[in-house]
Amino acid sequence: MLINLNDKNILVTGGAGDGLGPGICEAVNDAGGRVIVNDLNLEAAQEAASKYKGGLAVAGDVSIAEDVARMFEEIKNQCGNIQGVVNNAGIGLGKYAIEAEEAEFSHLYDVDVKGIWLVTRAFVRQLLDNNEAGSIINISSVQSFNTMHRMAIYASAKSAVNGLTRGLAVELGQYNIRCNAVAPGYIYSKQSLSIIGKWAPDPEKWIEDHKTDHQCLDFFTSARDCGNVVAFLLSDLSRSITGQTIYVDNGTTNLLYNNRYTQ
Ligand SMILES: NC(=O)c1ccc[n+]([C@@H]2O[C@H](COP(=O)([O-])OP(=O)(O)OC[C@H]3O[C@@H](n4cnc5c(N)ncnc54)[C@H](O)[C@@H]3O)[C@@H](O)[C@H]2O)c1
């Protein structure tokens, strides 16, 4: 039994990053799906899309309604309707809530929450126009479950993503449209490394200690590990799963105390 995304066009927002994006796109591609890579920068999206069979690139800011409408028009003209969306585009902050500026708060919520709503709204309207089923996967975070210093604003946005996921599942089930979230633990990306660098003088050491202390499984979660779960949730194998947030975190969210404290 294999995950089969044959004949499905899948939009991956923020797909040109160097963290989760490639792992998600690869998994969709390997399952037979056609990958449509969105990102802010067209050249970066084109370079990423060129790695996948029939890959298509669309540039646009997910937090701007006009960009999202144009992207969906471009996709429709170039490869027809889409059957799945992975809302992966997202930014972090790494600042104490009381130190953050209003513009930083708004920007984070615009991309991490409003962006998901705008892309999902455009996708669902297209599905309803064509009387089609579909699957939406939102990339959340372990920070939506428990959080840490300097993450309150990001954690609250990712908690909103989980809430949006549940609510969309409730509202869209009647149309056979599913909505789930994947909540990764630490995954390498330049973005995550630079945020960790805001408090850790040696981010690589901090990440190594995180693996030893704050995961049940003693290896790093890869972007592809998350991509495999995303591909499953996009496929008909998961047809009875909706409204769920699945933690892909090597057990981070199970731990009450760090390993060295209790072993
Ligand atoms: N790396 C981790 O440890 C980790 C853990 C949990 C959750 N996440 C989440 O995974 C997702 C991907 O993050 P990543 O770590 O792979 O970082 P990344 O920076 O490699 O990928 C994010 C991509 O989104 C794009 N992007 C940013 N704003 C955008 C916008 N407004 N419109 C379109 N594209 C935009 C960026 O250009 C980038 O290519 C994010 O939602 C992040 O919150 C990451």
Side-chain angles (χ1 to χ4, degrees), residues 73-117:
E73 206 52 41
E74 275 177 38
I75 296 168
K76 197 172 178 183
N77 292 338
Q78 294 194 56
C79 69
N81 293 339
I82 57 178
Q83 287 73 37
V85 159
V86 186
N87 284 307
N88 167 68
I91 56 169
L93 183 60
K95 242 186 181 184
Y96 278 103
I98 57 163
E99 289 171 0
E101 302 294 335
E102 188 179 348
E104 291 173 322
F105 182 99
S106 298
H107 182 47
L108 190 139
Y109 265 72
D110 278 353
V111 178
D112 290 7
V113 185
K114 184 182 160 196
I116 291 184
W117 167 66

Side-chain angles (χ1 to χ4, degrees), residues 13-22 38-41 60-63 87-92 107 111-112 139-142 154 158 182-192:
T13 70
D18 65 347
L20 276 99
N38 150 264
D39 216 291
L40 289 169
N41 177 286
D61 185 330
V62 296
S63 68
N87 284 307
N88 167 68
I91 56 169
H107 182 47
V111 178
D112 290 7
I139 302 303
S140 178
S141 167
V142 287
Y154 176 77
K158 290 300 187 182
V182 167
Y186 167 76
I187 311 281
Y188 169 81
S189 72
K190 280 192 198 123
Q191 183 183 185
S192 59

Side-chain angles (χ1 to χ4, degrees), residues 180-240:
N180 291 288
V182 167
Y186 167 76
I187 311 281
Y188 169 81
S189 72
K190 280 192 198 123
Q191 183 183 185
S192 59
L193 208 59
S194 110
I195 290 171
I196 291 164
K198 291 188 179 184
W199 64 81
D202 183 349
E204 304 281 3
K205 163 113 180 27
W206 191 91
I207 291 159
E208 198 57 40
D209 286 347
H210 164 83
K211 173 165 73 72
T212 309
D213 277 344
H214 292 286
Q215 296 188 167
C216 300
L217 299 168
D218 191 26
F219 57 87
F220 288 117
T221 311
S222 70
R224 180 59 190 257
D225 292 328
C226 296
N228 291 341
V229 178
V230 167
F232 166 69
L233 291 171
L234 286 166
S235 79
D236 295 339
L237 288 179
S238 61
R239 63 181 214 135
S240 291

Side-chain angles (χ1 to χ4, degrees), residues 222-259:
S222 70
R224 180 59 190 257
D225 292 328
C226 296
N228 291 341
V229 178
V230 167
F232 166 69
L233 291 171
L234 286 166
S235 79
D236 295 339
L237 288 179
S238 61
R239 63 181 214 135
S240 291
I241 302 176
T242 194
Q244 301 302 306
T245 296
I246 299 182
Y247 291 88
V248 183
D249 67 350
N250 283 20
T252 291
T253 48
N254 291 320
L255 289 165
L256 183 58
Y257 295 106
N258 79 42
N259 288 322

